[in-house]
Amino acid sequence: MTRPISLLFGVHAHQPVGNFPEVLADAHMRCYKPFLQALYRYPEFCFAMHISGWLLDYLIYHYPEDMALLRKMVARGQVELFGAGDTEPVLAAIPNRDRIGQIQTFSDKLERKLGQRPRGAWLTERVWETTVVPALADCGIRYVIVDDYHFLCAGKTLAELDGYFTTEEDGRKLDLFPISEALRYRLPFSPAEDAVAYIESLAGNSAPGHGNAAVYFDDIEKFGIWPETYEWVYGKGWLESFIQNVLASPMIRTQHYGDYHIAGRTRGVVYLPTTSYIEMNEWTLPAEPANIYAHLVRQGKASGWYEDNKAFLRGGIWKNFFSRYPESNWMHKRMLGLSTRFASLPQPQQSNAMRDKLYESQANDAYWHGLFGGLYLPHLRRAVFRAIVELEAMLDAYGPRPARFLEDTDLDGTEEMYLQNGVIQAVLKLDGGASVCELDSYVLKHNFGDTLQRQTEHYYQKIDQSVYGSHGHGGTGIASAHERVSFKHKIDALDLVADDHARGLFVDRLNGGFISYEHEALAADDMLCQAEAFSLHVKKSIGLADNQLQVSYLFADEAQGIFSTEINLAMPSCDGWSGRYIYQDEIPCGFGEPLELFAMTGITLEDDALAGSIELKVSSPVELRAQPCYSVSQSEEGFEKIMQAVTLILEWPVMAGEVFISLAINPKAKRRAGIIADSAAATGRIAYTSRAMQ
């Protein structure tokens, strides 16, 4: 007999840790509040909801009346809550002990604050690896949701994907629901009556115990935040029309995942490959392979074979972001190191504050880049590094580290040198460049080295629309963000030029060519590195003194040419109004404007968002060229330029003798004068001598 189809309707609400308050306020006004109010008016419409832990805390604090509404819907049986990791980590990218801790923390929070403990879980970015099964099962999770694409990659057909399947790992089992891609692209973009008609078409004959299910679970932000969706979903009444049409249909019944799970039975055992949703598999590829992949997809769609064969045209996996972006890999490996240190502490010393910071550092958003910014957004990286720096200071209080030590943190085959004195920390890459890749202030809880090297991206092709042709949306309804090509900012050809070096601090050049250094360990706290490049003989030393990073260059008598060093600084204000240069007690401009000074010996960078400043001093007059460093990113609102760093280039004619440069990090914005202290007072010093030009 023909049975009504069960509509398993779920939404996922998430905002990154560290997102701007104005963004959160806008999301609440245009999406979270009207969505909950609309659903509250239809208690018979059952749905599932996942709100990430940090966002839930934020909404409860700032918008308690809306969360009280949600709690009422939970209490009356309208809403099923879904779990996850508390700070929305990609579970596959963190240690198993932290998976368990994150899931348990969030399940406890949902039970305590909203009155329901979850049996289902949302997988962040739908990243699937079988290694996550034991942690989920051990935390009481009985089912998760992934894309139907995951199942197609395992050899299943769409006709089979009308219920749930079972998998297992290490003696634990977990049931898996396949999210319909067809529904993801229809809701809420197709007219409501068309979307409901499609769901009705999925109803059909089914064996006892195998009632058909239409599975939908996607970002709630599509219901009000994505372009055009607020007016479409609420102004033109799409959401209410959809709900009313579903409830009026004799072929559809809304049901909770949990009720369907209990009443039905599994379609059988399945083993899914490591994958995520289709778009993510493209985003994680480097530009050239991504171009090839996209070309094959376009070719397949034009020829009509793509839909039936897309499972066999697979891109990369989520963890490729670590190998593709050194900055993502660095954050990830720093986080893993701190997780190990935290886990090794005796239980009584493992404070909740430490655990909170560890979990904050695992929030997924800053580790990847796709349509939604992620890694390219400095404030998201800053939130991760803030948690890392705070946690590191807490751990150091229980287990102090040496003032100087070596470690290949990022697993790239080259060791890094850590210099730290409890006030600041500098991490040096021992790859020949003798540059600083991380500069932390424990007081300000900030990494001034948190910048981003500009890479060529696959979506640069879309900026030249002739590559893709017309991008207009065809048919009724509105376009998805995946279909749009729009521009928030004007993009020029120079904006798309990739960097030829990592954007660290004190990247040195002679006559425009990079200098390469050798290093040789001397005493316990010293390292000597020598470099001879053409006529250049220079010894570079780096050390810490209280709140100062001190760098000196000692040139031999025969040295000649134009020497420059590039200092890239992550300033939280970026090109906003609250960041400025202070030069001779005047404000020449903000960080978003170019600045050129001659015979300069000192300048201060004040940042209200940082609540501090960084003061640059040079022992001899130099030429300063300062400018903002932008990268071109894509978002649901279009292509945009995002400021990543303030780039300072100091340049001077090489002369015999020594040049001292210091960066003093001050907790409060202060303007100081005078020549820097003798660099011999620095502690934990490293010295380099140049080897060859590259």
Side-chain angles (χ1 to χ4, degrees):
M1 60 178 284
T2 301
R3 301 168 182 241
I5 190 165
S6 295
L7 174 59
L8 308 180
F9 181 89
V11 288
H12 155 65
H14 171 62
Q15 292 289 331
V17 174
N19 211 354
F20 298 124
E22 58 270 25
V23 174
L24 294 163
D26 181 70
H28 170 257
M29 180 189 72
R30 291 198 291 138
C31 183
Y32 308 145
K33 182 183 181 75
F35 185 90
L36 290 174
Q37 289 180 336
L39 269 294
Y40 186 75
R41 292 192 288 271
Y42 299 91
E44 63 273 35
F45 189 95
C46 297
F47 69 102
M49 190 167 194
H50 166 249
I51 307 178
S52 57
W54 183 83
L55 177 60
L56 177 61
D57 292 337
Y58 188 93
L59 293 175
I60 287 174
Y61 182 81
H62 291 276
Y63 306 104
E65 65 283 358
D66 294 321
M67 293 300 98
L69 199 69
L70 177 59
R71 188 179 178 96
K72 286 181 183 178
M73 287 193 280
V74 171
R76 73 188 188 188
Q78 183 181 2
V79 180
E80 177 183 1
L81 298 176
F82 265 60
D86 187 46
T87 61
E88 203 71 8
V90 170
L91 293 177
I94 64 176
N96 191 65
R97 59 178 178 269
D98 295 337
R99 294 173 194 158
I100 293 173
Q102 285 259 18
I103 297 166
Q104 292 281 33
T105 296
F106 188 51
S107 293
D108 292 345
K109 181 180 293 185
L110 289 176
E111 187 171 32
R112 185 174 66 254
K113 296 189 175 184
L114 294 179
Q116 185 185 106
R117 193 169 192 86
R119 291 172 57 83
W122 169 263
L123 286 180
T124 301
E125 301 304 328
R126 278 107 74 192
V127 176
W128 173 261
E129 286 189 12
T130 56
T131 55
V132 306
V133 171
L136 288 161
D138 290 349
C139 292
I141 299 299
R142 295 295 171 256
Y143 46 89
V144 299
I145 42 183
V146 295
D147 281 3
D148 54 11
Y149 173 74
H150 294 54
F151 288 81
L152 298 180
C153 292
K156 296 296 181 181
T157 65
L158 285 176
E160 299 176 83
L161 304 183
D162 60 353
Y164 65 86
F165 292 77
T166 300
T167 194
E168 58 79 28
E169 178 75 9
D170 197 24
R172 282 81 142 196
K173 73 168 189 171
L174 189 70
D175 291 330
L176 309 173
F177 282 90
I179 303 170
S180 167
E181 181 188 88
L183 278 178
R184 282 202 302 118
Y185 277 80
R186 281 177 168 83
L187 307 184
F189 308 106
S190 298
E193 57 273 19
D194 292 354
V196 172
Y198 174 75
I199 297 171
E200 289 178 330
S201 73
L202 301 177
N205 296 321
S206 59
H210 279 293
N212 292 4
V215 182
Y216 177 85
F217 216 122
D218 209 354
D219 298 344
I220 195 176
E221 288 78 16
K222 292 181 176 180
F223 296 83
I225 297 177
W226 281 32
E228 297 187 60
T229 57
Y230 178 75
E231 175 61 21
W232 173 254
V233 172
Y234 305 109
K236 295 183 178 180
W238 184 94
L239 183 57
E240 297 239 13
S241 178
F242 175 75
I243 295 171
Q244 292 168 2
N245 276 275
V246 166
L247 294 177
S249 173
M251 300 303 299
I252 304 173
R253 62 176 179 179
T254 62
Q255 194 173 11
H256 289 315
Y257 281 83
D259 293 338
Y260 181 91
H261 184 255
I262 291 172
R265 67 172 186 260
T266 182
R267 300 307 199 253
V269 68
V270 70
Y271 294 93
L272 304 181
T274 296
T275 192
S276 182
Y277 51 89
I278 293 176
E279 298 90 348
M280 180 70 80
N281 293 347
E282 175 185 313
W283 296 336
T284 193
L285 291 172
E288 198 53 44
N291 291 340
I292 296 171
Y293 175 84
H295 173 73
L296 291 172
V297 170
R298 292 195 303 274
Q299 190 178 66
K301 289 180 177 179
S303 302
W305 57 259
Y306 174 73
E307 282 300 321
D308 292 335
N309 296 281
K310 62 186 176 184
F312 309 108
L313 184 61
R314 210 174 304 172
I317 65 171
W318 190 87
K319 284 184 179 178
N320 288 155
F321 286 115
F322 299 145
S323 57
R324 183 179 170 196
Y325 294 107
E327 298 85 0
S328 173
N329 185 52
W330 181 261
M331 284 190 299
H332 181 252
K333 301 310 180 287
R334 289 277 279 129
M335 174 273 292
L336 290 181
L338 294 176
S339 175
T340 300
R341 287 185 65 191
F342 174 73
S344 67
L345 283 178
Q347 195 71 30
Q349 296 178 6
Q350 295 181 3
S351 69
N352 289 333
M354 290 182 187
R355 186 174 290 104
D356 289 345
K357 292 304 168 185
L358 173 61
Y359 291 172
E360 281 183 29
S361 74
Q362 295 172 341
N364 81 91
D365 308 270
Y367 287 100
W368 63 278
H369 177 54
L371 180 60
F372 310 104
L375 177 70
Y376 271 52
L377 299 178
H379 65 287
L380 301 188
R381 299 198 310 270
R382 184 162 65 249
V384 169
F385 271 115
R386 182 181 180 89
I388 285 173
V389 172
E390 285 191 81
L391 175 58
E392 191 162 61
M394 295 180 199
L395 292 170
D396 285 351
Y398 283 97
R401 296 172 298 152
R404 192 203 79 173
F405 62 93
L406 289 170
E407 178 183 274
D408 181 10
T409 300
D410 53 1
L411 308 181
D412 66 348
T414 299
E415 289 185 316
E416 291 80 38
M417 170 63 70
Y418 284 73
L419 303 177
Q420 63 88 21
N421 60 10
V423 179
I424 63 174
Q425 174 172 256
V427 185
L428 288 64
K429 295 292 292 184
L430 301 184
D431 57 1
S435 62
V436 174
C437 65
E438 182 172 337
L439 177 60
D440 303 314
S441 167
Y442 291 110
V443 175
L444 295 177
K445 304 169 186 176
H446 182 66
N447 170 21
F448 287 93
D450 173 24
T451 60
L452 191 70
Q453 180 177 348
R454 293 180 299 197
Q455 295 192 25
T456 298
E457 295 287 357
H458 159 59
Y459 53 80
Y460 285 6
Q461 284 196 1
K462 294 183 182 179
I463 294 175
D464 178 6
Q465 294 195 24
S466 64
V467 174
Y468 281 76
S470 173
H471 292 272
H473 172 66
T476 57
I478 60 173
S480 164
H482 298 289
E483 299 175 303
R484 296 174 178 273
V485 174
S486 58
F487 292 82
K488 287 183 66 177
H489 304 136
K490 184 178 183 295
I491 309 297
D492 297 320
L494 288 178
D495 297 324
L496 305 180
V497 176
D499 290 329
D500 58 358
H501 65 289
R503 285 189 168 267
L505 289 79
F506 297 99
V507 179
D508 301 333
R509 296 176 176 89
L510 176 68
N511 298 327
F514 291 109
I515 299 172
S516 182
Y517 294 89
E518 290 181 340
H519 60 269
E520 177 184 352
L522 295 178
D525 293 326
D526 291 321
M527 183 170 288
L528 177 67
C529 304
Q530 312 226 14
E532 296 179 0
F534 301 115
S535 58
L536 177 68
H537 298 263
V538 61
K539 175 181 174 182
K540 178 180 183 180
S541 62
I542 301 176
L544 310 180
D546 191 30
N547 67 331
Q548 294 185 27
L549 171 66
Q550 298 186 334
V551 180
S552 72
Y553 297 94
L554 178 61
F555 297 95
D557 291 341
E558 66 274 20
Q560 59 183 359
I562 301 297
F563 188 89
S564 68
T565 188
E566 176 185 319
I567 304 170
N568 293 281
L569 296 172
M571 307 302 294
S573 290
C574 296
D575 49 4
W577 61 269
S578 59
R580 67 196 72 85
Y581 297 103
I582 305 296
Y583 179 65
Q584 296 180 348
D585 289 326
E586 300 288 340
I587 301 176
C589 62
F591 298 151
E593 302 170 80
L595 175 65
E596 190 167 5
L597 298 173
F598 299 93
M600 185 215 72
T601 57
I603 193 168
T604 298
L605 287 72
E606 283 189 356
D607 196 312
D608 295 340
L610 181 67
S613 67
I614 190 160
E615 189 175 9
L616 169 68
K617 292 184 179 179
V618 189
S619 61
S620 301
V622 299
E623 178 182 343
L624 168 70
R625 296 192 304 278
Q627 61 185 19
C629 173
Y630 290 97
S631 60
V632 175
S633 181
Q634 62 175 347
S635 74
E636 62 269 34
E637 296 182 4
F639 295 108
E640 59 185 331
K641 291 167 63 172
I642 299 176
M643 183 172 168
Q644 300 293 343
V646 173
T647 299
L648 309 176
I649 296 178
L650 310 182
E651 186 174 279
W652 64 92
V654 174
M655 61 190 76
E658 196 163 12
V659 175
F660 299 103
I661 304 173
S662 76
L663 291 174
I665 302 171
N666 301 307
K668 294 181 180 180
K670 295 174 103 177
R671 305 177 194 175
R672 298 184 178 181
I675 303 299
I676 65 173
D678 187 339
S679 63
T683 60
R685 176 165 305 287
I686 293 184
Y688 297 87
T689 306
S690 153
R691 177 185 69 224
M693 298 291 287
Q694 293 193 359

